[in-house]
């Protein structure tokens, strides 16, 4: 068996990247010429060669699977981090806009208009980014729940403040309700969007299964 093992070892040397059909055929012919019991030795050689080929294929498949998993995990992580950034930007922008409206109501002056316009633009840009990157669930909620409430605030409180009109009780109540909405309802809706970042182990398990 040493003679057939040496022939097989040569064909399956670590220096070979793969076992080719020609290599196996040449090895088998060599074994037949050198071995007294050629057929038995040939069978053993073929079995060993098949096992080597199968092992090589399994190793290549496992390596590609691990690499594909790494690429998929990196893409998912990047997408979730971008979504988190859009959420943070929107929260900062909408609260900054509301704070500035409250300040103008307390200190009425047209000098505050340029900063108000800047914050309004930032709020609108942040909202567009958020709604593009959000899940279908959050997108539907923003359109059906958030947008009408923001419109009502702009129609009442923001309008009166911008045009330096006395703030009515109804407008003031709209601001109070919108402020509470941002602190509670909006946060409750945004939390599921970043669940994977809050629980990275669960995310990694999900990626490995998929």
């Amino acid at each position: 068996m040493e003679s057939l093992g040496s022939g097989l070892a040569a064909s399956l040397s670590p220096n070979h990247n793969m076992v080719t059909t020609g290599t196996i055929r040449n090895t088998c012919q060599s074994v037949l010429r050198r071995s007294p019991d050629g057929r038995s030795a040939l069978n053993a050689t073929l079995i060993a060669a098949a096992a080597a080929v199968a092992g090589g294929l399994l190793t290549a498949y496992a390596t590609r699977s691990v690499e594909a998993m790494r690429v998929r995990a990196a893409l998912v992580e990047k997408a979730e981090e971008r979504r988190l950034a859009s959420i943070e930007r929107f929260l900062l922008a909408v609260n900054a806009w509301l704070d500035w409206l409250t300040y103008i109501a307390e200190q009425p002056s047209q000098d505050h208009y340029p900063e108000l316009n800047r914050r309004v633009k930032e709020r609108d840009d942040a909202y567009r980014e958020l709604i593009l990157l959000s899940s279908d669930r959050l997108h539907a909620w923003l359109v059906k729940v958030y947008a009408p409430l923001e419109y009502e605030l702009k129609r009442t409180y923001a309008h009166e403040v911008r045009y330096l009109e006395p703030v009515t009780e109804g407008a003031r109540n709209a601001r109070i309700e919108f402020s509470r909405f941002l602190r509670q309802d909006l946060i409750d809706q945004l939390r599921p969007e970043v669940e994977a970042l809050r629980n990275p182990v669960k995310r990694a398990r999900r990626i490995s299964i998929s």
Side-chain angles (χ1 to χ4, degrees):
M1 293 298 292
E2 292 182 358
S3 61
L4 73 90
S6 60
L8 179 61
S11 66
L12 304 179
S13 171
N15 295 327
H16 288 72
N17 293 326
M18 62 181 295
V19 180
T20 65
T21 303
T23 301
I24 295 175
R25 182 175 63 252
N26 293 336
T27 302
C28 292
Q29 291 174 351
S30 175
V31 169
L32 283 172
R33 287 194 299 268
R34 290 183 294 170
S35 175
D37 188 7
R39 187 168 299 279
S40 297
L42 176 60
N43 289 336
T45 302
L46 290 175
I47 292 172
V53 171
L57 291 175
L58 289 175
T59 300
Y61 177 78
T63 301
R64 293 188 62 181
S65 297
V66 171
E67 185 62 27
M69 187 183 303
R70 288 176 180 172
V71 172
R72 185 163 61 248
L75 292 174
V76 170
E77 182 178 7
K78 185 175 181 180
E80 289 175 346
E81 288 178 349
R82 187 178 178 189
R83 180 180 297 177
L84 175 61
S86 70
I87 291 173
E88 291 176 337
R89 180 188 179 190
F90 176 71
L91 288 175
L92 289 173
V94 71
N95 280 283
W97 168 64
L98 185 61
D99 289 345
W100 197 250
L101 284 175
T102 304
Y103 175 72
I104 297 177
E106 296 172 351
Q107 304 289 334
S109 174
Q110 293 184 357
D111 295 339
H112 303 320
Y113 285 1
E115 178 62 18
L116 177 61
N117 293 335
R118 187 192 69 80
R119 297 192 184 200
V120 167
K121 182 179 184 304
E122 175 60 20
R123 180 208 63 206
D124 290 344
D125 291 345
Y127 179 75
R128 281 191 290 269
E129 181 181 31
L130 175 63
I131 207 168
L132 283 173
L133 297 176
S134 62
S135 64
D136 293 340
R137 176 200 63 83
L138 180 60
H139 179 276
W141 183 86
L142 289 170
V143 172
K144 294 179 181 179
V145 180
Y146 171 81
L149 196 60
E150 182 193 272
Y151 174 79
E152 180 62 19
L153 182 72
K154 291 188 292 187
R155 187 185 68 82
T156 56
Y157 185 76
H159 176 85
E160 293 175 1
V161 169
R162 175 178 283 276
Y163 292 99
L164 305 179
E165 299 175 0
V167 177
T168 62
E169 187 67 21
R172 185 175 292 106
N173 290 338
R175 181 191 63 79
I176 294 173
E177 171 59 21
F178 190 75
S179 180
R180 183 207 62 79
F181 177 83
L182 293 180
R183 295 193 309 270
Q184 299 178 16
D185 297 14
L186 180 59
I187 295 299
D188 289 342
Q189 294 297 323
L190 293 177
R191 279 177 57 82
E193 298 295 296
V194 294
E195 179 183 2
L197 295 177
R198 290 187 286 108
N199 192 346
V201 175
K202 182 177 179 181
R203 180 189 65 179
R205 188 182 299 116
R206 186 176 70 249
I207 293 175
S208 63
I209 292 175
S210 61

